[in-house]
Every structure is written in C-alpha cells, then in structure tokens.
Amino acid sequence: MNRIELTLTKARRTIHAPKTAKVAEFLNLWSLRDGVVLGVDLSLSSAYELEIEDLRLADPARADLFEAQARSFLNALPAETTVQFIVQVRRGDTETIREFREANTYEGQDDLSRLLIERKCAEFEGKFLQRRRYFLYVTSRPKGGAVPVSPLIPRFKPVVETAARGFDAQRRREHEALDRVVAERLHSMGLRFRRLESQELLDLVYRHLNPAKPGLPMSRLSPLRTLREQVATTPVEEEFDHVRVGDAYFRGVSLLRLPETAHPGYMWRLLDCLWPDCDLVLNVHALDTEAAVSRLKLKNNVTRTLAFSAWTKNYEAERKHLELDELLTEIRATAQRLFRFSLSVIVRAPSLDGLRDKTSAVLGAFHDFASAEGLCDDMNHGRLFLGAIPGHARLNDRQFYMQTNSLSGFLPLSGAWKGSRRKTMLVETPLGELVALDPFDPELPAKHGLVIGTTGSGKSFATNFILSAFLASSKDTHVVTIDVGGSYRKLCRAYGGEYLEVELSERFGFNPFPPKSEIAPGGEFDGDAIAYLSLLISRMCLKPGEVVGTVEKAFLESAIKAAYKDREEATLSDVRRELARLSAARPRAKHFADALELWTSGMYGKLFDRKGRLNVDNRLVVFDLQNLENHSDLQAVYFFVIRSVIWGKLRNLSLRKIVAVDEGWKFFDDQVGSDLIQGLYRTARKFNGAVFSVSQSPQDFLGTKAAGAIVANSYVKFVLKLSKGHELLSQFDLNPAEIESVRLLQSKPKVFSDILLKFGARSVVIRIEPGSLDYWLCTTDAEDRLAEEKVRAANPGLSETKILLKLAQGRPAGAEAS
C-alpha cells in the first residue's frame, strides 16, 4: 500500500469510525428454517446446486434451444425478484476422492485392486485439482414493501404475534411459488439441480464468513439469537485494497465496462481463466419494466442536461446519456424484460503477494471478455465479499441495465460434466476437474461402447485402463476380451486371469452348443439363443457375402431343436445329421450338411465337434486369436463361438460383464457376421453385460455391414487422437463441436492422452494421466516390455503385484504420467 492509499484509508477511518457498525450488522441474516434464509429486511432466500453440461460440446441446435430457454427463465422471474449465480472455484476435490474410495472399497477385495485404489487416491490428493460448484440463490422480498406491523395495529403482544405469524406464512407461500417457477424453468433448460437443505445452506454461509473453520451444525443454532450473530465469528478487517478474514485475504474485481457484445462464448472464456480460489458472482434483479423505463427517462434527461450544459463539457455524462438513450430506444423497439445486473469475482489468497498475482490474472480475463473492463474495487472489497452470500446482491453497487436477450449470454451455465453418480472410475479434465465414470450407469439406455484411436494415441492403454478400473471396482465384475495381438496379456497376468492364446489344436476345442437346461430351462427354447446358433452355423457354411434366407433360417432352427431332442448336450454332428435328414424335403439343407463336414469330420472338427466346454469361471478371460491369422475363416467363426463360452457368465445376473472386442471389424464384415454381432449386443444387454468394440479408425467400423448394429447400440464412446477420418465421426452421432474437439485433442507418449468421451447425451474431454502403478499395469509399449522382462529375470518367484510395484518404483523420469 503506497502513501496515498494509506492516507486515504486513515482518513476514511477517521471520518467513518464512529459510524461504522460491526460486521454482523451488515449481514442480512435473521434466521434459517426449512432451507430458507430470512433476512433482516424480511427477504427470503433459497439455494440450488446446479449440475452443468458443457455447451461448447453441445449440438448447435441444442445450444440454441438452451439459450432460448435461458431467456424464458429470465422472463419468467417476477418483478423485484433477485437471483444470484455463484461459481465456486476451489483447489482440490477431497469429497469426490473420498466418495471414489468408499465406492471401490469392499469386503473380500483382492490385494491388487485395493492397492490400485489407494494409489489412485493418494496420487489425486497430491496433484493439482480444482472443483467447480455452480449455485443459484433466489431471493424474494415483500410486495410493495409491506411489513407485518404498522402504527395502525395496536402494539400488544398477542396482536403482534398473530400478525407476524400470518405475515410469515404469506411470505413463505409467495416464496414457494417463486421456487416452483425457478424449478420449472431450470427443468425446461435441461439442467439437473437440487434444492439445498438447511444444513447445506448454513455451511455455504458459515464457511464463506469463516474460511478456516470446519462448519456449524444446525443443532447448535440458538433460536434466541439472530443468525448473523452466530455465523459472523471470524474478525473481518477491511483495508483500502483488500479484506482480511482470519488468515485469508480477499479482493473483489467488478465489471466496470460492458463487453462489446454479449455471447455465451465470452463467459466460457472468463470461467476458463479463473483458478482456485475464487468465486464468480452474477447478480440479476428483475425490474418492473414500466417503472424502470420511467426512472431511466428521468435519469437520461439529467445526464443530457449535464452533458450539454452551456458552462462546460461533461464527457462522462455524455457517455452515460448516449448509453441510456440507446437502451431506451432498444426497449421501445422490443418486448423484452429489463434487468439490473452486476458481475464480480471474489479472489482469495493466503498472502497479499498471492492476492496481487491472482487479481492481475482476473483483470486480464475481464479484458479478454470481448474487450470488457474490470476494476479492482478498492474501498469496496468488504461489500463485494459479503455480496456472495444469499440475499446480499444489493451490496454490489456497480450495476448495469440490460435486456433479456443480452443478459442471457452472461449466465454462467456451461462447464465440464462431473460424471456418473457412482464413481467406478475417476479421471480428470485438462483443467484438473475430476470426472467419475460408471460403465453401467443406470441412465444409459444400453451399456455398450466404442474405443477409437490411431496407433500411438494410447488406444490400447486406455482400454486396459478402463478394464482394470472396472475389475478393481467390485468382485462381481467380469471381463472377457477377444484380441488379435497380445495387448491384454499383462492385465490378465496381473489379475490371475485365463489367457487363451488360441491355436489349431484340441487343447482349445469346446462345444459351442450350450446345455439344453440353459437355453430351454422350462422346456421352451430361448429365441435369441436359437437365432444365435442358426447364425453361427450359417457363418460356418456360407461364403462371405452370402445371405441366409427365411427358408434357411426355418430349417436351421428345426434342425437345432431336433438335435437337442432327448439330449442335454447337442453337437455339430447331431445338427449335421438332422440337416441331412431334412435334405429330402429341403434341398438347400443338403448344402448346409455338406458344408458342415469341414467342421465335424474335417480339419476343424477337433475344435468344435465335441462335448464339454472351456472353463471360464475366472473373472478375466482373454482370447488371443493371433495364431489363427492364417485361417481367416476359422478366426471369424471362433470369435462367434466364444459367445457360447461366455453364456454362463451372461446368465448370472448378479455379475456385471464387459466383453471387449479389439479390432473386431475383422470378424463381422458380412451380413451373417453383422447379424451375429447384433445378437451379441442384444443378448449382453438383456443379461447385465456390455460390449466394447475397439479399433484404430472410424473407417474400420463403418467399412463393415455390422456398423449399424455397433454404432446404434453404443452409447459410450471414447475417441482418442486421430490422424485421419474426422469427417466420418458424424456417423458415430458426434456433432460438429465434438468433432472439432477431437481435432484439438492432445497427447504425449508416456505422459498423458486426452480423450473425447461421449457418455449418452453428455460430452466431456477427459485426460488419462495415471500414476506409476497404473502405467505399468496398462502399458503395451515395446520398450516397457523389455524393462519388465529384466525385472522379472532379476526377481524370480516374485508375485505379480510386487513385480508391478518394483517397476513403478523404477519408472524413468519423463514418464511420471501417461
């Protein structure tokens, strides 16, 4: 503080000290009941927490509709109603980390899963994170300034009590009506929200006024003392250029000059520039338009007189006159509502030096806000600090008049999606906000998903990361992976899974026909199961491009059912025999019977024409089909035969299952394959399962006949950095804004990878930046594989978990995240 500022501060204290009241007396807080704050001025305030979506990634039509609904929200506010939009930006997110730990800690948890969860939590707690919470405070005041007691009412206690109770009941009914209007309009905007209970509202107020104190229980509030007496417990020292509350320093930065134009994009940029710890406060007061216009006309006449006085030229008054004249002209030309609003940012820091740095950043952000101008509001910081409390919007004197259409562009209603309610997996955004994901989120119509990313983008790493988090979240989660190339060998080894490196030998042979008790438990065959087996036989018998007709489907179904007659377990030879029997009446059946010779008595007979099934009770089973690359027809058929292997898992509804198919386009590039994958998607959905398809480019999916089935049923999409094919992403239900965000995705090998996540109707850009243990569990890098082999050779007999820990301890510099 320089000498001039110090002199002004001392002068202010000298002049105002005898008149200055205690901090508590500035607070408009009388009592708190039923989630409503009663102010000293008889105002009532309630609060909502909003769940925001990222409008920058929304479809343009959705964004336009949202803006129209925002205007409707403003127009629906009754006259003399005040709403406050508060965006709290805080460092760290202990609450989300705690909920993640609780959701993923359970009885009987294996050592690796427990270690993974604890390591994730510790790493999140030790890195920079920020949490943004969006609140809406709604304040109503007595109509016409009415009060419960007047000089006309005798001042006797019974009369006063009756009048006060009646007035309170009437005010609460009026405020409830306002709450209903607000809730209805928020719902029409597509926003999720919840009204805060009394304790939550008390916590907001108390922690704002007492930054270093944990909280105040409602049970400790005394009805014999005012609320403001009980919450203002920390000394507040107001200086010329800051406010000190305990050991924390605060400054208020106000909007001084409006931006050249109002557009949601400018508010988005302002929010992106705000870092912990600060609060953005937007106050909106709905005016009686006719009365306000009359006042504006009078004010305009005054400013015009001052501006064009014969004695002197007043440029400030002239500017005010021109602004008011323009506003009045616009009001006359439209039917919009008129509002008074103010915008400020409350900056917090533990020291004055830190406060100055943060203030400079916020002032710069205001200037980037379409050439707007902010002001470090010296001698007014105390009022701005208190103005972030419900019912205190009037304390910000730097107010502007604005109409509905322009004001709607200022509403801070866009931000990163916070994710699923159940926190199975935890990732972050590039700005450091945590996003919780649950692959089995009940709000998803189906749980199937896609993972798309070019080589080197981190596609295999991301898939391993998703599957490892899914396995660690519960002992009732199972994964079956179908791969061509060994990308999941390490994950399988770490979890003690079953890795089947399939080759042309009896060792990997099994019967693709489920037991009759599973597909016809009550004597009635399951339609999906019979349809699947019919398509499987078609896949064995038809050439690529051939289509099975209605007649063929009919006799195949008859042959399969006949093969099960008087048998618990049918084989391919049984079906072939039934087809041969039908060939007299159905000549086409002979073609199928002859074609099955290769799969019964031929070279593939030792694989599928037998009794018995593979034991896949393990939680993680990986089928690696790379050894069958020279037998493309067998590889494709084996993929679909695996569907029968996992039938037992699907039938167990107590389990949640993910079937991951890596480079699956190789298996379903014809009509029969398309029908088979569609049946797999439908069957998995019925039995609490999900199918995740993984590929290197959009073209791989779209080039197959199964594209429609895959894309239409996949409601979760992980899109990594792509080198080409961006123009095809629209066919995956990505809008132009989402496609543009894919073009801008960043990644750094062995450090991090950004991903566009489309989760149902919501979108967010997430960043996979795991710690050392996650890295070594999920990496598929060739150099890392060599390093792992060296550690294994030097430590024979060491458990898989301890091998991973040793690798994590020796992770090279520059690879501290991936």
Side-chain angles (χ1 to χ4, degrees):
M1 184 182 298
N2 58 39
R3 288 186 176 182
I4 296 175
E5 292 173 341
L6 183 60
T7 302
L8 287 173
T9 302
K10 289 181 178 179
R12 183 187 181 199
R13 285 177 177 169
T14 302
I15 296 170
H16 294 288
K19 303 175 184 178
T20 301
K22 295 179 180 178
V23 173
E25 296 182 20
F26 282 102
L27 295 175
N28 187 28
L29 303 171
W30 186 260
S31 66
L32 172 60
R33 177 165 62 89
D34 299 329
V36 177
V37 173
L38 172 63
V40 178
D41 63 355
L42 303 181
S43 63
L44 294 179
S45 300
S46 52
Y48 299 83
E49 183 167 10
L50 309 179
E51 186 176 326
I52 302 297
E53 64 177 291
D54 196 340
L55 294 177
R56 285 171 288 190
L57 296 177
D59 185 87
R62 162 67 178 139
D64 290 343
L65 176 61
F66 186 90
E67 191 172 349
Q69 295 291 356
R71 292 194 292 267
S72 297
F73 169 83
L74 292 171
N75 286 331
L77 294 175
E80 305 306 320
T81 296
T82 302
V83 293
Q84 296 173 265
F85 293 90
I86 311 290
V87 182
Q88 287 187 352
V89 186
R90 298 289 183 267
R91 186 180 182 92
D93 195 349
T94 55
E95 183 178 343
T96 300
I97 296 172
R98 175 182 56 78
E99 291 175 357
F100 170 72
R101 179 184 280 113
E102 291 174 355
N104 293 276
T105 303
Y106 47 89
E107 187 177 352
Q109 188 172 28
D110 61 275
D111 293 340
L112 177 59
S113 295
R114 182 168 52 253
L115 183 61
L116 279 173
I117 299 303
E118 288 303 322
R119 281 292 186 95
K120 287 177 194 284
C121 292
E123 284 155 0
F124 277 128
E125 289 168 345
K127 68 190 305 185
F128 171 80
L129 293 173
Q130 61 172 319
R131 185 186 186 193
R132 299 187 175 209
R133 300 180 71 185
Y134 295 75
F135 296 97
L136 173 64
Y137 304 154
V138 182
T139 301
S140 65
R141 291 178 175 80
K143 294 181 179 179
V147 294
V149 179
S150 75
L152 299 178
I153 299 178
R155 296 182 178 273
F156 297 106
K157 185 176 180 181
V159 177
V160 172
E161 285 185 357
T162 302
R165 285 198 183 96
F167 179 82
D168 180 69
Q170 176 63 27
R171 286 288 297 114
R172 289 187 179 272
R173 285 194 295 270
E174 293 171 356
H175 193 76
E176 286 173 6
L178 175 60
D179 274 335
R180 286 194 295 270
V181 170
V182 170
E184 178 187 341
R185 292 299 173 177
L186 290 175
H187 180 74
S188 67
M189 292 168 71
L191 291 177
R192 298 179 183 179
F193 59 92
R194 63 183 186 87
R195 191 169 182 271
L196 299 189
E197 301 293 338
S198 295
Q199 182 62 61
E200 295 174 300
L201 196 48
L202 177 61
D203 289 341
L204 279 178
V205 174
Y206 190 81
R207 287 171 183 168
H208 184 77
L209 294 171
N210 307 275
K213 297 182 179 180
L216 175 67
M218 281 290 296
S219 58
R220 289 178 56 189
L221 284 182
S222 169
L224 303 178
R225 299 169 61 201
T226 62
L227 179 62
R228 61 186 184 179
E229 289 181 82
Q230 300 178 75
V231 297
T233 61
T234 301
V236 177
E237 182 181 350
E238 184 176 4
E239 299 291 347
F240 174 81
D241 61 346
H242 69 273
V243 170
R244 182 175 179 178
V245 185
D247 293 330
Y249 296 84
F250 294 85
R251 265 186 186 162
V253 179
S254 296
L255 178 64
L256 178 64
R257 186 178 65 191
L258 289 171
E260 296 173 354
T261 180
H263 185 275
Y266 300 126
M267 178 56 78
W268 301 341
R269 285 202 288 271
L270 176 60
L271 286 171
D272 283 347
C273 293
L274 299 183
W275 293 90
D277 289 320
C278 66
D279 293 346
L280 181 139
V281 183
L282 176 69
N283 302 316
V284 176
H285 184 71
L287 297 171
D288 183 331
T289 303
E290 292 184 6
V293 167
S294 298
R295 291 194 297 269
L296 285 174
K297 286 180 179 178
L298 177 61
K299 189 174 182 179
N300 191 32
N301 291 334
V302 173
T303 57
R304 180 172 56 190
T305 302
L306 291 173
F308 303 104
S309 169
W311 298 102
T312 184
K313 184 75 169 178
N314 190 325
Y315 292 100
E316 180 66 18
E318 183 179 2
R319 185 177 68 84
K320 287 285 186 183
H321 163 65
L322 292 175
E323 289 177 357
L324 289 170
D325 198 53
E326 183 180 350
L327 179 60
L328 287 168
T329 302
E330 187 177 352
I331 291 173
R332 295 187 189 101
T334 64
Q336 300 178 56
R337 291 279 304 277
L338 188 63
F339 300 87
R340 192 171 62 238
F341 89 101
S342 61
L343 175 63
S344 62
V345 175
I346 314 302
V347 182
R348 173 184 171 182
S351 67
L352 285 175
D353 289 338
L355 196 64
R356 277 190 285 270
D357 293 340
K358 288 187 176 181
T359 304
S360 299
V362 172
L363 287 170
F366 266 101
H367 185 70
D368 292 339
F369 187 57
S371 300
E373 186 177 347
L375 172 71
C376 183
D377 223 338
D378 290 336
M379 299 187 70
N380 202 32
H381 299 293
R383 292 174 64 86
L384 294 178
F385 170 73
L386 298 178
I389 299 173
H392 290 69
R394 58 183 173 78
L395 293 179
N396 190 340
D397 294 326
R398 299 194 182 277
Q399 301 177 347
F400 302 87
Y401 289 95
M402 190 170 284
Q403 291 182 275
T404 306
N405 291 353
S406 298
L407 182 57
S408 64
F410 281 86
L411 304 186
L413 294 176
S414 177
W417 177 54
K418 297 300 185 292
S420 306
R421 302 195 184 283
R422 188 180 188 280
K423 298 170 175 55
T424 301
M425 185 169 73
L426 208 57
V427 292
E428 59 186 295
T429 69
L431 290 179
E433 296 179 72
L434 291 179
V435 180
L437 301 178
D438 178 11
F440 283 76
D441 192 314
E443 296 184 4
L444 291 172
K447 320 307 179 189
H448 309 309
L450 298 173
V451 181
I452 307 173
T454 53
T455 301
S457 65
K459 169 178 59 69
S460 296
F461 190 102
T463 308
N464 275 284
F465 185 84
I466 295 165
L467 296 180
S468 66
F470 178 68
L471 287 168
S473 65
S474 169
K475 61 183 178 182
D476 294 325
T477 53
H478 285 223
V479 171
V480 176
T481 299
I482 304 166
D483 182 32
V484 182
S487 297
Y488 306 95
R489 187 188 303 272
K490 181 181 293 185
L491 181 66
C492 189
R493 179 185 289 169
Y495 269 97
E498 189 75 25
Y499 195 88
L500 302 174
E501 205 163 4
V502 181
E503 57 188 24
L504 191 58
S505 69
E506 292 186 1
R507 177 187 170 198
F508 297 101
F510 58 91
N511 186 7
F513 289 82
K516 185 177 181 180
S517 58
E518 288 187 5
I519 63 173
E524 188 74 22
F525 283 94
D526 182 274
D528 281 338
I530 297 299
Y532 161 76
L533 293 173
S534 298
L535 286 169
L536 173 61
I537 294 172
S538 301
R539 194 71 173 81
M540 293 176 172
C541 299
L542 298 181
K543 297 178 181 178
E546 286 189 90
V547 180
V548 59
T550 305
V551 175
E552 286 89 346
K553 288 180 182 179
F555 66 66
L556 282 173
E557 182 176 331
S558 297
I560 292 169
K561 289 181 178 179
Y564 275 104
K565 187 178 181 181
D566 302 326
R567 296 187 185 92
E568 170 63 14
E569 190 172 6
T571 63
L572 272 175
S573 290
D574 296 329
V575 175
R576 185 188 178 201
R577 191 162 41 251
E578 294 298 328
L579 288 170
R581 187 178 60 81
L582 291 171
S583 61
R586 304 284 186 183
R588 181 67 173 163
K590 185 177 185 305
H591 169 76
F592 280 80
D594 292 341
L596 281 179
E597 181 178 1
L598 177 66
W599 303 91
T600 53
S601 56
M603 63 184 298
Y604 297 151
K606 55 187 175 183
L607 283 177
F608 304 128
D609 189 32
R610 56 189 297 161
K611 292 186 177 182
R613 307 172 69 187
L614 285 177
N615 181 13
V616 288
D617 293 335
N618 202 297
R619 289 181 62 205
L620 174 58
V621 180
V622 179
F623 291 92
D624 187 347
L625 306 186
Q626 188 171 22
N627 291 336
L628 300 181
E629 278 193 317
N630 294 329
H631 304 271
S632 57
D633 53 346
L634 176 60
Q635 192 181 63
V637 169
Y638 206 101
F639 164 76
F640 292 109
V641 169
I642 291 171
R643 152 64 173 78
S644 67
V645 176
I646 62 174
W647 180 262
K649 290 185 183 295
L650 293 174
R651 298 288 293 183
N652 188 346
L653 295 178
S654 66
L655 303 177
R656 293 188 298 165
K657 291 82 60 175
I658 288 182
V659 180
V661 185
D662 203 332
E663 301 299 334
W665 57 273
K666 298 178 180 180
F667 309 130
F668 33 78
D669 58 353
D670 58 14
Q671 186 60 49
V672 175
S674 175
D675 292 341
L676 277 165
I677 192 65
Q678 191 168 359
L680 178 61
Y681 270 79
R682 184 174 58 250
T683 305
R685 181 174 57 190
K686 286 170 53 178
F687 294 101
N688 201 25
V691 182
F692 271 65
S693 298
V694 185
S695 194
Q696 292 184 9
S697 73
Q699 182 59 47
D700 291 342
F701 286 113
L702 299 175
T704 70
K705 292 187 177 182
I710 296 172
V711 175
N713 289 284
S714 296
Y715 289 88
V716 181
K717 302 177 182 72
F718 293 87
V719 185
L720 290 86
K721 191 174 182 180
L722 297 175
S723 58
K724 60 181 180 179
H726 298 91
E727 68 282 356
L728 300 175
L729 291 175
S730 60
Q731 300 182 51
F732 290 81
D733 195 31
L734 266 62
N735 64 53
E738 293 165 338
I739 295 172
E740 183 60 25
S741 71
V742 173
R743 295 181 187 274
L744 300 175
L745 291 177
Q746 302 292 318
S747 66
K748 186 175 180 181
K750 297 190 175 185
V751 179
F752 70 87
S753 183
D754 288 348
I755 303 172
L756 173 71
L757 170 62
K758 183 83 178 267
F759 200 88
R762 297 180 179 268
S763 302
V764 63
V765 174
I766 62 174
R767 172 168 290 181
I768 292 185
E769 190 177 355
S772 55
L773 188 61
D774 270 320
Y775 177 85
W776 282 106
L777 178 63
C778 302
T779 181
T780 58
D781 183 74
E783 292 182 3
D784 292 335
R785 195 177 306 150
L786 292 175
E788 180 184 350
E789 289 174 359
K790 290 181 181 179
V791 171
R792 289 184 182 278
N795 299 274
L798 213 59
S799 70
E800 292 298 322
T801 300
K802 291 183 177 179
I803 288 288
L804 287 172
L805 285 172
K806 274 195 170 293
L807 289 166
Q809 291 169 359
R811 191 173 177 197
E816 61 277 358
S818 175

